[in-house]
Amino acid sequence: MKFPRPRQEEISVNLTPLIDVVFLLLIFFMVSTTFTRETQLSLTLPEAQGTPPEQAPRAVEILVSSAGEYVINGEKLIDNSDAGLRSALLRLGQDKTEWPMLITADAYASYQAVVTVMDVAGQLGFDKLSLTTREAAEEGQ
């Protein structure tokens, strides 16, 4: 007796679902991508044609040393407390509150000493404060 043998199917990979998924991904990325267009401005900047002022602008200059000592416009304070600083600034006169205040602190000056100057100046009406720093002198110089 002869039994019929089952026919072997040809093995193949169906690429249709793969192509569908790739196509959907392509559409997704095309829709979700934003295209930005950078704009640029053409500027013609002005050039300065002047001379610097002969006289330096008036300012109240306060130096803070690394030891917490204050020097106001070249005069060293004897009393380095808040009250001493306040009285020294009051001796300058109330008309000086319109002048800018330049606070120069040593690199090793305590943060509290600088904040004290800013606090007292703010209480007296100085509103134009500028801060600078000075590098500490190397040992041996």
Side-chain angles (χ1 to χ4, degrees):
M1 199 157 106
K2 251 183 161 186
F3 291 107
R5 291 189 173 174
R7 295 175 109 194
Q8 285 189 344
E9 282 189 33
E10 191 176 318
I11 299 175
S12 67
V13 177
N14 190 359
L15 293 178
T16 305
L18 178 68
I19 292 172
D20 287 345
V21 169
V22 169
F23 184 66
L24 286 174
L25 285 174
L26 178 68
I27 291 174
F28 172 76
F29 287 127
M30 285 174 47
V31 169
S32 65
T33 302
T34 59
F35 298 99
T36 58
R37 179 175 271 173
E38 300 283 332
T39 59
Q40 297 177 353
L41 296 175
S42 174
L43 295 178
T44 305
L45 298 175
E47 295 180 8
Q49 295 179 355
T51 58
E54 295 176 16
Q55 183 178 354
R58 297 180 186 180
V60 176
E61 185 174 359
I62 298 180
L63 303 174
V64 181
S65 71
S66 60
E69 299 169 337
Y70 303 116
V71 177
I72 299 177
N73 289 341
E75 295 180 20
K76 185 175 179 181
L77 295 184
I78 298 170
D79 183 13
N80 290 318
S81 66
D82 297 359
L85 181 63
R86 180 184 310 278
S87 65
L89 288 175
L90 283 174
R91 274 182 286 174
L92 289 176
Q94 287 297 330
D95 60 331
K96 306 288 192 295
T97 58
E98 299 296 321
W99 292 4
M101 178 179 283
L102 183 64
I103 302 171
T104 304
D106 190 272
Y108 293 114
S110 70
Y111 186 69
Q112 180 61 47
V114 176
V115 170
T116 300
V117 172
M118 292 178 2
D119 184 38
V120 170
Q123 290 174 3
L124 294 177
F126 288 93
D127 58 352
K128 299 173 187 167
L129 300 177
S130 298
L131 298 173
T132 63
T133 57
R134 179 175 58 202
E135 291 184 26
E138 293 181 21
E139 292 185 27
Q141 288 186 351

PDB file of all heavy atoms in Angstrom, residues 39-76:
ATOM      1  N   THR A  39      16.382  82.599  12.197  1.00  0.00           N
ATOM      2  CA  THR A  39      16.374  83.922  11.587  1.00  0.00           C
ATOM      3  C   THR A  39      17.581  84.699  12.076  1.00  0.00           C
ATOM      4  O   THR A  39      18.033  84.533  13.201  1.00  0.00           O
ATOM      5  CB  THR A  39      15.094  84.692  11.944  1.00  0.00           C
ATOM      6  OG1 THR A  39      15.018  84.812  13.349  1.00  0.00           O
ATOM      7  CG2 THR A  39      13.864  83.971  11.424  1.00  0.00           C
ATOM      8  N   GLN A  40      18.101  85.523  11.242  1.00  0.00           N
ATOM      9  CA  GLN A  40      19.263  86.321  11.585  1.00  0.00           C
ATOM     10  C   GLN A  40      18.961  87.773  11.264  1.00  0.00           C
ATOM     11  O   GLN A  40      18.265  88.078  10.303  1.00  0.00           O
ATOM     12  CB  GLN A  40      20.488  85.865  10.809  1.00  0.00           C
ATOM     13  CG  GLN A  40      20.911  84.452  11.131  1.00  0.00           C
ATOM     14  CD  GLN A  40      22.097  84.017  10.290  1.00  0.00           C
ATOM     15  OE1 GLN A  40      22.517  84.718   9.388  1.00  0.00           O
ATOM     16  NE2 GLN A  40      22.621  82.852  10.597  1.00  0.00           N
ATOM     17  N   LEU A  41      19.488  88.616  12.125  1.00  0.00           N
ATOM     18  CA  LEU A  41      19.330  90.043  11.907  1.00  0.00           C
ATOM     19  C   LEU A  41      20.659  90.626  11.459  1.00  0.00           C
ATOM     20  O   LEU A  41      21.712  90.275  11.968  1.00  0.00           O
ATOM     21  CB  LEU A  41      18.895  90.744  13.197  1.00  0.00           C
ATOM     22  CG  LEU A  41      17.528  90.363  13.752  1.00  0.00           C
ATOM     23  CD1 LEU A  41      17.303  91.057  15.078  1.00  0.00           C
ATOM     24  CD2 LEU A  41      16.451  90.752  12.771  1.00  0.00           C
ATOM     25  N   SER A  42      20.586  91.521  10.535  1.00  0.00           N
ATOM     26  CA  SER A  42      21.777  92.225  10.100  1.00  0.00           C
ATOM     27  C   SER A  42      21.852  93.524  10.883  1.00  0.00           C
ATOM     28  O   SER A  42      20.973  94.380  10.781  1.00  0.00           O
ATOM     29  CB  SER A  42      21.695  92.505   8.600  1.00  0.00           C
ATOM     30  OG  SER A  42      22.774  93.295   8.207  1.00  0.00           O
ATOM     31  N   LEU A  43      22.887  93.654  11.707  1.00  0.00           N
ATOM     32  CA  LEU A  43      23.031  94.836  12.549  1.00  0.00           C
ATOM     33  C   LEU A  43      24.259  95.633  12.149  1.00  0.00           C
ATOM     34  O   LEU A  43      25.305  95.076  11.854  1.00  0.00           O
ATOM     35  CB  LEU A  43      23.186  94.435  14.024  1.00  0.00           C
ATOM     36  CG  LEU A  43      22.003  93.755  14.683  1.00  0.00           C
ATOM     37  CD1 LEU A  43      22.359  93.392  16.106  1.00  0.00           C
ATOM     38  CD2 LEU A  43      20.798  94.664  14.668  1.00  0.00           C
ATOM     39  N   THR A  44      24.102  96.922  12.156  1.00  0.00           N
ATOM     40  CA  THR A  44      25.231  97.821  11.997  1.00  0.00           C
ATOM     41  C   THR A  44      25.410  98.532  13.326  1.00  0.00           C
ATOM     42  O   THR A  44      24.589  99.359  13.719  1.00  0.00           O
ATOM     43  CB  THR A  44      24.962  98.845  10.880  1.00  0.00           C
ATOM     44  OG1 THR A  44      24.639  98.137   9.687  1.00  0.00           O
ATOM     45  CG2 THR A  44      26.168  99.714  10.659  1.00  0.00           C
ATOM     46  N   LEU A  45      26.452  98.162  14.046  1.00  0.00           N
ATOM     47  CA  LEU A  45      26.662  98.710  15.371  1.00  0.00           C
ATOM     48  C   LEU A  45      27.332 100.075  15.293  1.00  0.00           C
ATOM     49  O   LEU A  45      28.187 100.308  14.439  1.00  0.00           O
ATOM     50  CB  LEU A  45      27.525  97.753  16.202  1.00  0.00           C
ATOM     51  CG  LEU A  45      26.907  96.380  16.430  1.00  0.00           C
ATOM     52  CD1 LEU A  45      27.898  95.483  17.147  1.00  0.00           C
ATOM     53  CD2 LEU A  45      25.634  96.490  17.223  1.00  0.00           C
ATOM     54  N   PRO A  46      26.950 100.971  16.202  1.00  0.00           N
ATOM     55  CA  PRO A  46      27.563 102.305  16.181  1.00  0.00           C
ATOM     56  C   PRO A  46      28.988 102.251  16.721  1.00  0.00           C
ATOM     57  O   PRO A  46      29.360 101.343  17.455  1.00  0.00           O
ATOM     58  CB  PRO A  46      26.661 103.117  17.112  1.00  0.00           C
ATOM     59  CG  PRO A  46      26.068 102.105  18.023  1.00  0.00           C
ATOM     60  CD  PRO A  46      25.919 100.850  17.221  1.00  0.00           C
ATOM     61  N   GLU A  47      29.756 103.225  16.333  1.00  0.00           N
ATOM     62  CA  GLU A  47      31.129 103.337  16.809  1.00  0.00           C
ATOM     63  C   GLU A  47      31.245 104.596  17.655  1.00  0.00           C
ATOM     64  O   GLU A  47      30.650 105.618  17.342  1.00  0.00           O
ATOM     65  CB  GLU A  47      32.104 103.417  15.628  1.00  0.00           C
ATOM     66  CG  GLU A  47      32.142 102.159  14.796  1.00  0.00           C
ATOM     67  CD  GLU A  47      33.105 102.272  13.646  1.00  0.00           C
ATOM     68  OE1 GLU A  47      33.860 103.269  13.582  1.00  0.00           O
ATOM     69  OE2 GLU A  47      33.099 101.375  12.810  1.00  0.00           O
ATOM     70  N   ALA A  48      32.009 104.484  18.719  1.00  0.00           N
ATOM     71  CA  ALA A  48      32.180 105.624  19.618  1.00  0.00           C
ATOM     72  C   ALA A  48      33.213 106.582  19.039  1.00  0.00           C
ATOM     73  O   ALA A  48      34.262 106.172  18.573  1.00  0.00           O
ATOM     74  CB  ALA A  48      32.622 105.148  20.994  1.00  0.00           C
ATOM     75  N   GLN A  49      32.891 107.849  19.075  1.00  0.00           N
ATOM     76  CA  GLN A  49      33.816 108.872  18.597  1.00  0.00           C
ATOM     77  C   GLN A  49      33.856 109.992  19.625  1.00  0.00           C
ATOM     78  O   GLN A  49      33.323 111.066  19.423  1.00  0.00           O
ATOM     79  CB  GLN A  49      33.365 109.426  17.245  1.00  0.00           C
ATOM     80  CG  GLN A  49      33.391 108.401  16.151  1.00  0.00           C
ATOM     81  CD  GLN A  49      32.904 108.994  14.852  1.00  0.00           C
ATOM     82  OE1 GLN A  49      32.468 110.128  14.788  1.00  0.00           O
ATOM     83  NE2 GLN A  49      32.987 108.204  13.801  1.00  0.00           N
ATOM     84  N   GLY A  50      34.454 109.718  20.712  1.00  0.00           N
ATOM     85  CA  GLY A  50      34.513 110.722  21.766  1.00  0.00           C
ATOM     86  C   GLY A  50      35.784 110.561  22.560  1.00  0.00           C
ATOM     87  O   GLY A  50      36.566 109.643  22.358  1.00  0.00           O
ATOM     88  N   THR A  51      35.984 111.466  23.451  1.00  0.00           N
ATOM     89  CA  THR A  51      37.141 111.390  24.327  1.00  0.00           C
ATOM     90  C   THR A  51      36.650 111.093  25.731  1.00  0.00           C
ATOM     91  O   THR A  51      35.563 111.521  26.116  1.00  0.00           O
ATOM     92  CB  THR A  51      37.915 112.720  24.316  1.00  0.00           C
ATOM     93  OG1 THR A  51      37.033 113.768  24.731  1.00  0.00           O
ATOM     94  CG2 THR A  51      38.453 113.023  22.934  1.00  0.00           C
ATOM     95  N   PRO A  52      37.429 110.372  26.491  1.00  0.00           N
ATOM     96  CA  PRO A  52      37.006 110.094  27.864  1.00  0.00           C
ATOM     97  C   PRO A  52      36.979 111.378  28.678  1.00  0.00           C
ATOM     98  O   PRO A  52      37.715 112.330  28.383  1.00  0.00           O
ATOM     99  CB  PRO A  52      38.073 109.127  28.385  1.00  0.00           C
ATOM    100  CG  PRO A  52      39.246 109.300  27.487  1.00  0.00           C
ATOM    101  CD  PRO A  52      38.712 109.758  26.177  1.00  0.00           C
ATOM    102  N   PRO A  53      36.130 111.432  29.676  1.00  0.00           N
ATOM    103  CA  PRO A  53      36.053 112.662  30.479  1.00  0.00           C
ATOM    104  C   PRO A  53      37.378 112.903  31.207  1.00  0.00           C
ATOM    105  O   PRO A  53      38.050 111.974  31.623  1.00  0.00           O
ATOM    106  CB  PRO A  53      34.919 112.385  31.465  1.00  0.00           C
ATOM    107  CG  PRO A  53      34.767 110.909  31.502  1.00  0.00           C
ATOM    108  CD  PRO A  53      35.227 110.407  30.168  1.00  0.00           C
ATOM    109  N   GLU A  54      37.723 114.167  31.311  1.00  0.00           N
ATOM    110  CA  GLU A  54      38.967 114.533  31.974  1.00  0.00           C
ATOM    111  C   GLU A  54      38.888 114.267  33.470  1.00  0.00           C
ATOM    112  O   GLU A  54      39.872 113.914  34.097  1.00  0.00           O
ATOM    113  CB  GLU A  54      39.271 116.013  31.733  1.00  0.00           C
ATOM    114  CG  GLU A  54      39.538 116.347  30.288  1.00  0.00           C
ATOM    115  CD  GLU A  54      39.732 117.837  30.080  1.00  0.00           C
ATOM    116  OE1 GLU A  54      39.956 118.554  31.073  1.00  0.00           O
ATOM    117  OE2 GLU A  54      39.652 118.279  28.928  1.00  0.00           O
ATOM    118  N   GLN A  55      37.724 114.445  34.021  1.00  0.00           N
ATOM    119  CA  GLN A  55      37.543 114.265  35.450  1.00  0.00           C
ATOM    120  C   GLN A  55      36.802 112.954  35.685  1.00  0.00           C
ATOM    121  O   GLN A  55      35.793 112.671  35.036  1.00  0.00           O
ATOM    122  CB  GLN A  55      36.729 115.425  36.007  1.00  0.00           C
ATOM    123  CG  GLN A  55      36.540 115.392  37.494  1.00  0.00           C
ATOM    124  CD  GLN A  55      35.766 116.611  37.954  1.00  0.00           C
ATOM    125  OE1 GLN A  55      35.476 117.505  37.176  1.00  0.00           O
ATOM    126  NE2 GLN A  55      35.429 116.639  39.211  1.00  0.00           N
ATOM    127  N   ALA A  56      37.321 112.143  36.591  1.00  0.00           N
ATOM    128  CA  ALA A  56      36.661 110.883  36.902  1.00  0.00           C
ATOM    129  C   ALA A  56      35.309 111.174  37.548  1.00  0.00           C
ATOM    130  O   ALA A  56      35.170 112.140  38.292  1.00  0.00           O
ATOM    131  CB  ALA A  56      37.526 110.060  37.847  1.00  0.00           C
ATOM    132  N   PRO A  57      34.302 110.352  37.259  1.00  0.00           N
ATOM    133  CA  PRO A  57      33.000 110.604  37.863  1.00  0.00           C
ATOM    134  C   PRO A  57      33.083 110.441  39.379  1.00  0.00           C
ATOM    135  O   PRO A  57      33.862 109.656  39.898  1.00  0.00           O
ATOM    136  CB  PRO A  57      32.102 109.537  37.234  1.00  0.00           C
ATOM    137  CG  PRO A  57      33.033 108.488  36.744  1.00  0.00           C
ATOM    138  CD  PRO A  57      34.312 109.177  36.412  1.00  0.00           C
ATOM    139  N   ARG A  58      32.291 111.218  40.059  1.00  0.00           N
ATOM    140  CA  ARG A  58      32.300 111.171  41.514  1.00  0.00           C
ATOM    141  C   ARG A  58      31.717 109.842  41.974  1.00  0.00           C
ATOM    142  O   ARG A  58      30.702 109.391  41.462  1.00  0.00           O
ATOM    143  CB  ARG A  58      31.478 112.313  42.078  1.00  0.00           C
ATOM    144  CG  ARG A  58      32.020 113.657  41.737  1.00  0.00           C
ATOM    145  CD  ARG A  58      31.148 114.714  42.336  1.00  0.00           C
ATOM    146  NE  ARG A  58      31.570 116.033  41.900  1.00  0.00           N
ATOM    147  CZ  ARG A  58      30.985 117.137  42.273  1.00  0.00           C
ATOM    148  NH1 ARG A  58      29.939 117.085  43.070  1.00  0.00           N
ATOM    149  NH2 ARG A  58      31.416 118.291  41.855  1.00  0.00           N
ATOM    150  N   ALA A  59      32.373 109.258  42.950  1.00  0.00           N
ATOM    151  CA  ALA A  59      31.892 107.995  43.500  1.00  0.00           C
ATOM    152  C   ALA A  59      32.401 107.866  44.925  1.00  0.00           C
ATOM    153  O   ALA A  59      33.426 108.429  45.292  1.00  0.00           O
ATOM    154  CB  ALA A  59      32.372 106.818  42.663  1.00  0.00           C
ATOM    155  N   VAL A  60      31.657 107.126  45.715  1.00  0.00           N
ATOM    156  CA  VAL A  60      32.086 106.785  47.068  1.00  0.00           C
ATOM    157  C   VAL A  60      32.776 105.437  46.958  1.00  0.00           C
ATOM    158  O   VAL A  60      32.165 104.465  46.513  1.00  0.00           O
ATOM    159  CB  VAL A  60      30.887 106.718  48.031  1.00  0.00           C
ATOM    160  CG1 VAL A  60      31.335 106.274  49.406  1.00  0.00           C
ATOM    161  CG2 VAL A  60      30.171 108.045  48.087  1.00  0.00           C
ATOM    162  N   GLU A  61      34.036 105.387  47.328  1.00  0.00           N
ATOM    163  CA  GLU A  61      34.799 104.150  47.206  1.00  0.00           C
ATOM    164  C   GLU A  61      35.088 103.590  48.587  1.00  0.00           C
ATOM    165  O   GLU A  61      35.643 104.271  49.451  1.00  0.00           O
ATOM    166  CB  GLU A  61      36.111 104.399  46.470  1.00  0.00           C
ATOM    167  CG  GLU A  61      36.873 103.135  46.202  1.00  0.00           C
ATOM    168  CD  GLU A  61      38.108 103.375  45.350  1.00  0.00           C
ATOM    169  OE1 GLU A  61      38.355 104.521  44.947  1.00  0.00           O
ATOM    170  OE2 GLU A  61      38.820 102.399  45.106  1.00  0.00           O
ATOM    171  N   ILE A  62      34.689 102.334  48.786  1.00  0.00           N
ATOM    172  CA  ILE A  62      34.921 101.663  50.065  1.00  0.00           C
ATOM    173  C   ILE A  62      35.806 100.448  49.800  1.00  0.00           C
ATOM    174  O   ILE A  62      35.484  99.605  48.970  1.00  0.00           O
ATOM    175  CB  ILE A  62      33.609 101.229  50.723  1.00  0.00           C
ATOM    176  CG1 ILE A  62      32.748 102.449  51.027  1.00  0.00           C
ATOM    177  CG2 ILE A  62      33.883 100.435  51.996  1.00  0.00           C
ATOM    178  CD1 ILE A  62      31.434 102.128  51.679  1.00  0.00           C
ATOM    179  N   LEU A  63      36.930 100.389  50.507  1.00  0.00           N
ATOM    180  CA  LEU A  63      37.835  99.255  50.412  1.00  0.00           C
ATOM    181  C   LEU A  63      37.649  98.391  51.647  1.00  0.00           C
ATOM    182  O   LEU A  63      37.590  98.895  52.771  1.00  0.00           O
ATOM    183  CB  LEU A  63      39.284  99.722  50.328  1.00  0.00           C
ATOM    184  CG  LEU A  63      39.638 100.672  49.187  1.00  0.00           C
ATOM    185  CD1 LEU A  63      41.073 101.155  49.321  1.00  0.00           C
ATOM    186  CD2 LEU A  63      39.438  99.994  47.860  1.00  0.00           C
ATOM    187  N   VAL A  64      37.581  97.066  51.440  1.00  0.00           N
ATOM    188  CA  VAL A  64      37.450  96.120  52.540  1.00  0.00           C
ATOM    189  C   VAL A  64      38.701  95.255  52.526  1.00  0.00           C
ATOM    190  O   VAL A  64      38.977  94.559  51.552  1.00  0.00           O
ATOM    191  CB  VAL A  64      36.187  95.244  52.392  1.00  0.00           C
ATOM    192  CG1 VAL A  64      36.065  94.293  53.573  1.00  0.00           C
ATOM    193  CG2 VAL A  64      34.952  96.107  52.263  1.00  0.00           C
ATOM    194  N   SER A  65      39.479  95.303  53.621  1.00  0.00           N
ATOM    195  CA  SER A  65      40.720  94.530  53.673  1.00  0.00           C
ATOM    196  C   SER A  65      40.420  93.103  54.112  1.00  0.00           C
ATOM    197  O   SER A  65      39.307  92.774  54.530  1.00  0.00           O
ATOM    198  CB  SER A  65      41.711  95.181  54.638  1.00  0.00           C
ATOM    199  OG  SER A  65      41.265  95.009  55.966  1.00  0.00           O
ATOM    200  N   SER A  66      41.436  92.257  54.048  1.00  0.00           N
ATOM    201  CA  SER A  66      41.257  90.862  54.450  1.00  0.00           C
ATOM    202  C   SER A  66      41.014  90.745  55.950  1.00  0.00           C
ATOM    203  O   SER A  66      40.453  89.762  56.409  1.00  0.00           O
ATOM    204  CB  SER A  66      42.475  90.039  54.039  1.00  0.00           C
ATOM    205  OG  SER A  66      43.632  90.564  54.664  1.00  0.00           O
ATOM    206  N   ALA A  67      41.422  91.748  56.721  1.00  0.00           N
ATOM    207  CA  ALA A  67      41.204  91.734  58.172  1.00  0.00           C
ATOM    208  C   ALA A  67      39.846  92.329  58.541  1.00  0.00           C
ATOM    209  O   ALA A  67      39.519  92.443  59.721  1.00  0.00           O
ATOM    210  CB  ALA A  67      42.321  92.510  58.868  1.00  0.00           C
ATOM    211  N   GLY A  68      39.063  92.754  57.570  1.00  0.00           N
ATOM    212  CA  GLY A  68      37.748  93.322  57.844  1.00  0.00           C
ATOM    213  C   GLY A  68      37.782  94.799  58.156  1.00  0.00           C
ATOM    214  O   GLY A  68      36.828  95.343  58.713  1.00  0.00           O
ATOM    215  N   GLU A  69      38.861  95.474  57.780  1.00  0.00           N
ATOM    216  CA  GLU A  69      38.976  96.916  58.017  1.00  0.00           C
ATOM    217  C   GLU A  69      38.419  97.662  56.813  1.00  0.00           C
ATOM    218  O   GLU A  69      38.524  97.199  55.676  1.00  0.00           O
ATOM    219  CB  GLU A  69      40.436  97.295  58.238  1.00  0.00           C
ATOM    220  CG  GLU A  69      41.053  96.607  59.432  1.00  0.00           C
ATOM    221  CD  GLU A  69      42.562  96.771  59.478  1.00  0.00           C
ATOM    222  OE1 GLU A  69      43.160  97.023  58.417  1.00  0.00           O
ATOM    223  OE2 GLU A  69      43.119  96.641  60.574  1.00  0.00           O
ATOM    224  N   TYR A  70      37.824  98.832  57.053  1.00  0.00           N
ATOM    225  CA  TYR A  70      37.203  99.627  56.006  1.00  0.00           C
ATOM    226  C   TYR A  70      38.018 100.891  55.746  1.00  0.00           C
ATOM    227  O   TYR A  70      38.523 101.526  56.666  1.00  0.00           O
ATOM    228  CB  TYR A  70      35.778 100.034  56.399  1.00  0.00           C
ATOM    229  CG  TYR A  70      34.882  98.868  56.706  1.00  0.00           C
ATOM    230  CD1 TYR A  70      34.364  98.679  57.976  1.00  0.00           C
ATOM    231  CD2 TYR A  70      34.544  97.947  55.723  1.00  0.00           C
ATOM    232  CE1 TYR A  70      33.537  97.619  58.262  1.00  0.00           C
ATOM    233  CE2 TYR A  70      33.721  96.885  55.999  1.00  0.00           C
ATOM    234  CZ  TYR A  70      33.217  96.717  57.271  1.00  0.00           C
ATOM    235  OH  TYR A  70      32.402  95.654  57.543  1.00  0.00           O
ATOM    236  N   VAL A  71      38.108 101.262  54.465  1.00  0.00           N
ATOM    237  CA  VAL A  71      38.720 102.518  54.049  1.00  0.00           C
ATOM    238  C   VAL A  71      37.711 103.202  53.127  1.00  0.00           C
ATOM    239  O   VAL A  71      37.341 102.646  52.095  1.00  0.00           O
ATOM    240  CB  VAL A  71      40.061 102.290  53.318  1.00  0.00           C
ATOM    241  CG1 VAL A  71      40.640 103.602  52.842  1.00  0.00           C
ATOM    242  CG2 VAL A  71      41.039 101.548  54.202  1.00  0.00           C
ATOM    243  N   ILE A  72      37.258 104.403  53.522  1.00  0.00           N
ATOM    244  CA  ILE A  72      36.264 105.124  52.732  1.00  0.00           C
ATOM    245  C   ILE A  72      36.939 106.322  52.101  1.00  0.00           C
ATOM    246  O   ILE A  72      37.424 107.214  52.802  1.00  0.00           O
ATOM    247  CB  ILE A  72      35.071 105.567  53.599  1.00  0.00           C
ATOM    248  CG1 ILE A  72      34.378 104.360  54.202  1.00  0.00           C
ATOM    249  CG2 ILE A  72      34.092 106.384  52.765  1.00  0.00           C
ATOM    250  CD1 ILE A  72      33.239 104.704  55.117  1.00  0.00           C
ATOM    251  N   ASN A  73      36.982 106.345  50.782  1.00  0.00           N
ATOM    252  CA  ASN A  73      37.604 107.425  50.009  1.00  0.00           C
ATOM    253  C   ASN A  73      39.008 107.746  50.519  1.00  0.00           C
ATOM    254  O   ASN A  73      39.385 108.906  50.678  1.00  0.00           O
ATOM    255  CB  ASN A  73      36.742 108.684  50.010  1.00  0.00           C
ATOM    256  CG  ASN A  73      35.491 108.512  49.176  1.00  0.00           C
ATOM    257  OD1 ASN A  73      35.408 107.629  48.339  1.00  0.00           O
ATOM    258  ND2 ASN A  73      34.504 109.349  49.415  1.00  0.00           N
ATOM    259  N   GLY A  74      39.782 106.728  50.811  1.00  0.00           N
ATOM    260  CA  GLY A  74      41.162 106.899  51.229  1.00  0.00           C
ATOM    261  C   GLY A  74      41.365 107.115  52.713  1.00  0.00           C
ATOM    262  O   GLY A  74      42.499 107.217  53.163  1.00  0.00           O
ATOM    263  N   GLU A  75      40.308 107.205  53.503  1.00  0.00           N
ATOM    264  CA  GLU A  75      40.430 107.418  54.946  1.00  0.00           C
ATOM    265  C   GLU A  75      40.080 106.128  55.676  1.00  0.00           C
ATOM    266  O   GLU A  75      38.975 105.607  55.540  1.00  0.00           O
ATOM    267  CB  GLU A  75      39.489 108.528  55.410  1.00  0.00           C
ATOM    268  CG  GLU A  75      39.829 109.884  54.842  1.00  0.00           C
ATOM    269  CD  GLU A  75      38.865 110.954  55.323  1.00  0.00           C
ATOM    270  OE1 GLU A  75      38.188 110.737  56.351  1.00  0.00           O
ATOM    271  OE2 GLU A  75      38.789 111.990  54.656  1.00  0.00           O
ATOM    272  N   LYS A  76      41.055 105.628  56.458  1.00  0.00           N
ATOM    273  CA  LYS A  76      40.844 104.384  57.192  1.00  0.00           C
ATOM    274  C   LYS A  76      39.967 104.654  58.407  1.00  0.00           C
ATOM    275  O   LYS A  76      40.152 105.642  59.117  1.00  0.00           O
ATOM    276  CB  LYS A  76      42.185 103.808  57.631  1.00  0.00           C
ATOM    277  CG  LYS A  76      42.081 102.469  58.295  1.00  0.00           C
ATOM    278  CD  LYS A  76      43.452 101.902  58.587  1.00  0.00           C
ATOM    279  CE  LYS A  76      43.315 100.558  59.272  1.00  0.00           C
ATOM    280  NZ  LYS A  76      44.600  99.975  59.588  1.00  0.00           N
TER     281      LYS A  76
END
